[in-house]
Amino acid sequence: MTSSTAFLGPAGDGGLALYRAVAEQIPRGAVFVVDRELRYILAAGPALRMSGFEPSDFEGRSLREALPPELLAQYTQDYAGILGGAPMEREHCVGGVWYASHGVPLADEHGCIHAALVVSYDITERKRNERRLQILDKLWAVVRHASDAADVAAAASSLLEEYFGGVRCTMLRLDGELDEAEVEEIPLAAFGERALDRLQRGETVESGDGPLPYGLPPWLRAFLLCPHISGGRLTGVTAILSETPQAWREEDTRLACDITERAWTQIDRLRLLEALEAADRRKDQFLAVLAHDLRSPLTVVRNSLALLERPGTNVNPQAILALVERQFGHINRLIEDVLDTSYICHGRAHLHRHRIVLQEAVLAAVEAARALVSSKTHSLSLSMPPEPIPVYADPTRLAQAFGNVFANAIKYSRVPARIGVEVEKQDAQVLVRIRDNGIGMSPRTLARLFDLFARKGTELDALPAGGLGVGLWITRQLVEAHGGSIRAASDGPDRGSTFTIALPVHQVH
């Protein structure tokens, strides 16, 4: 029985065998015994082999011989403390694996300490769970107080970059065509065959062990794309891009998707809140403008009637009546806009559709607009194909949609101005283009042109041009109710505008 194992009792080396047998039964654990000369006399357990070591790498060797330099000082301090009679508890990381170590002194029946016993458990999974919870707590702290969607996106991206290390994280909102969507100037479609289809189904897209898809930039060595589905469609993607190879563990992917979902849900909520607040402000502006626009003609009517009642006033009653009639016509148009808006918002706008010739609806709108054109010395040109183009439509509502665009072009044109209307048939659809050489629009104005209560004005003017701001919104609703679409384009302020209405051609079967 050697002096180094005498403290184990009569069994001597048999005591070490017992410790070794116990160590092998500890899941993801290891047992170490170090004597007073700081030499390993036992090293055993599954965690030892999981880390790529064997008992022979430690047993019979001193700490200095068995341990790498970066661990020697801490382990020497730990074992010296235990041999001095102080139990030890410590969590530490070795080679990316976390351990919880518990150390106690081993003494003989006389209380003399002969060795230090340390039992270590692999707690990597627990530490990862704690780390995930910490990240989610940090995200929640930001989300709870964030008042801006950009703050939430920045916080989520920062936390993911911190967790994965050495990656770039981008939260991409998808509002337009998916085929044109890019992250870090990389098209989403470039991330692999059917990448867009998988994202649209709510599946993550990640790099594997093999080569990356052809067409990705050379700096990209690994990627993870987490989709966000809202309202049944893909509305956002969180992209984690790495310049070094990454192995995406299942728990890492779950965390990235969890952060993605929490962040995008809050972003959607904030954007919805912003939209509601903006709509509420526009509604207040709408009501203020409506009150103003109703008061003006009513004031004219009241003053005109007062002139008729005043004795001795040399006025032409016919002229007064004509003026009153025009003012009531203006009031009637305002009320019709309000009613149309209400009916459409509440789903009570009904179309009486049947087969008509498109050119007739365009002509009706042009004739209604000619009075406005001539009164402002505008010129209006019309180009239509001679063959009839059949559409399935409500002629009154379709003429109203065209008329709203004509009125918009006239309203924002400068004297003298030119307005051109062009009708063109393209396969199964017909395009109606209305061009003007008026004041044009900035990208900011184009972005919200068809919003409810949006009114065109200068970018620096807090009081936009007159009108209720519902005409183009009503136009879009009417066009889309006919199965068509409307879009606007402009090269910028003072460079004119072009509105294009597309409608399906009615096919006779």
Side-chain angles (χ1 to χ4, degrees):
M1 186 182 302
T2 64
S3 60
S4 62
T5 59
F7 69 93
L8 294 173
D13 289 336
L16 283 177
L18 178 62
Y19 278 113
R20 191 183 304 278
V22 171
E24 294 300 329
Q25 303 306 312
I26 302 175
R28 305 182 69 86
V31 173
F32 302 91
V33 178
V34 172
D35 64 15
R36 296 195 64 84
E37 283 73 41
L38 298 181
R39 185 175 299 277
Y40 285 99
I41 58 176
L42 175 70
L48 200 67
R49 290 187 296 276
M50 291 171 63
S51 301
F53 295 101
E54 295 294 334
S56 57
D57 293 324
F58 294 88
E59 293 176 1
R61 299 187 177 191
S62 67
L63 266 65
R64 184 177 298 277
E65 293 169 333
L67 297 175
E70 64 270 17
L71 298 179
L72 181 61
Q74 180 64 57
Y75 279 50
T76 300
Q77 179 181 332
D78 291 342
Y79 281 109
I82 298 170
L83 292 167
M88 180 270 292
E89 289 188 11
R90 188 165 69 88
E91 294 182 356
H92 54 105
C93 185
V94 180
V97 180
W98 278 91
Y99 297 96
S101 294
H102 303 267
V104 294
L106 295 178
D108 60 19
E109 65 272 18
H110 303 294
C112 295
I113 298 173
H114 292 272
L117 169 69
V118 173
V119 180
S120 295
Y121 305 89
D122 183 343
I123 58 168
T124 303
E125 185 62 27
R126 193 198 83 195
K127 297 295 287 187
R128 286 174 180 167
N129 288 334
E130 290 176 355
R131 181 66 177 139
R132 287 194 286 270
L133 289 174
Q134 289 172 357
I135 288 179
L136 293 175
D137 285 344
K138 287 182 180 179
L139 180 63
W140 173 241
V142 173
V143 164
R144 191 170 61 241
H145 299 101
S147 59
D148 185 82
D151 293 341
V152 177
S157 297
S158 177
L159 289 172
L160 286 169
E161 290 173 357
E162 176 187 340
Y163 178 80
F164 287 106
V167 301
R168 307 182 198 175
C169 182
T170 300
M171 300 192 72
L172 174 67
R173 184 162 192 90
L174 300 171
D175 292 319
E177 295 294 331
L178 291 182
D179 293 340
E180 301 175 0
E182 295 183 345
V183 55
E184 297 281 348
E185 300 183 351
I186 307 171
L188 284 180
F191 286 94
E193 185 179 1
R194 303 186 65 81
L196 282 177
D197 291 340
R198 292 176 58 192
L199 289 171
Q200 287 178 286
R201 291 197 300 266
E203 301 174 9
T204 58
V205 177
E206 62 188 65
S207 54
D209 298 331
L212 296 183
Y214 177 78
L216 292 177
W219 62 264
L220 183 61
R221 305 297 300 278
F223 61 83
L224 174 62
L225 307 182
C226 300
H228 171 60
I229 305 295
S230 178
R233 66 183 186 90
L234 180 67
T235 60
V237 172
T238 299
I240 303 170
L241 310 178
S242 176
E243 298 182 18
T244 58
Q246 288 269 358
W248 307 108
R249 297 187 296 264
E250 183 179 349
E251 59 268 26
D252 294 339
T253 302
R254 284 200 306 269
L255 175 66
C257 291
D258 200 358
I259 290 178
T260 291
E261 195 59 29
R262 294 179 187 221
W264 279 116
T265 298
Q266 180 66 2
I267 289 172
D268 287 345
R269 190 187 72 82
L270 289 173
R271 286 173 66 96
L272 177 60
L273 184 61
E274 291 171 1
L276 290 174
E277 291 174 346
D280 191 56
R281 289 192 300 270
R282 292 196 297 270
K283 179 202 68 178
D284 291 341
Q285 295 172 355
F286 168 78
L287 293 175
V289 171
L290 176 61
H292 176 271
D293 284 5
L294 285 173
R295 183 174 59 187
S296 296
L298 288 173
T299 300
V300 173
V301 170
R302 183 187 62 191
N303 293 338
S304 299
L305 294 176
L307 284 175
L308 287 176
E309 293 175 351
R310 188 175 301 170
T313 304
N314 186 20
V315 295
N316 183 348
Q318 295 301 322
I320 293 294
L321 289 175
L323 177 61
V324 169
E325 184 177 355
R326 286 197 300 273
Q327 299 307 311
F328 274 116
H330 178 60
I331 293 172
N332 186 61
R333 286 192 298 273
L334 290 174
I335 293 174
E336 286 180 352
D337 278 350
V338 173
L339 290 175
D340 282 342
T341 301
S342 177
Y343 289 152
I344 292 172
C345 285
H346 291 87
R348 298 201 304 267
H350 299 291
L351 299 180
H352 302 285
R353 300 172 67 184
H354 55 274
R355 180 184 171 92
I356 67 169
V357 175
L358 175 77
Q359 288 94 324
E360 294 176 358
V362 173
L363 284 172
V366 168
E367 291 304 318
R370 284 198 184 277
L372 292 173
V373 172
S374 61
S375 67
K376 298 182 70 173
T377 66
H378 289 38
S379 64
L380 193 152
S381 62
L382 178 61
S383 173
M384 297 190 295
E387 66 277 5
I389 302 175
V391 293
Y392 189 66
D394 182 326
T396 303
R397 289 301 199 178
L398 198 56
Q400 179 186 355
F402 294 142
N404 285 345
V405 180
F406 295 158
N408 189 79
I410 295 167
K411 184 176 185 179
Y412 296 110
S413 294
R414 294 194 175 98
V415 178
R418 295 182 302 277
I419 298 171
V421 181
E422 176 186 340
V423 177
E424 178 187 1
K425 184 176 180 294
Q426 288 187 351
D427 299 325
Q429 67 175 359
V430 57
L431 304 180
V432 180
R433 297 188 186 89
I434 299 96
R435 292 189 176 91
D436 65 66
N437 64 342
I439 63 174
M441 291 176 282
S442 67
R444 176 182 173 186
T445 299
L446 284 169
R448 59 182 296 263
L449 186 63
F450 296 101
D451 291 350
L452 185 58
F453 305 142
R455 298 191 298 157
K456 174 69 179 73
T458 63
E459 300 296 335
L460 302 178
D461 189 356
L463 297 174
L468 298 181
V470 299
L472 290 178
W473 180 83
I474 291 173
T475 299
R476 185 180 70 176
Q477 305 304 313
L478 293 176
V479 169
E480 291 179 354
H482 283 86
S485 64
I486 181 171
R487 65 179 185 273
S490 176
D491 291 333
D494 297 319
R495 303 189 67 178
S497 304
T498 300
F499 287 79
T500 303
I501 296 175
L503 293 166
V505 174
H506 183 54
Q507 305 292 338
V508 180
H509 300 288

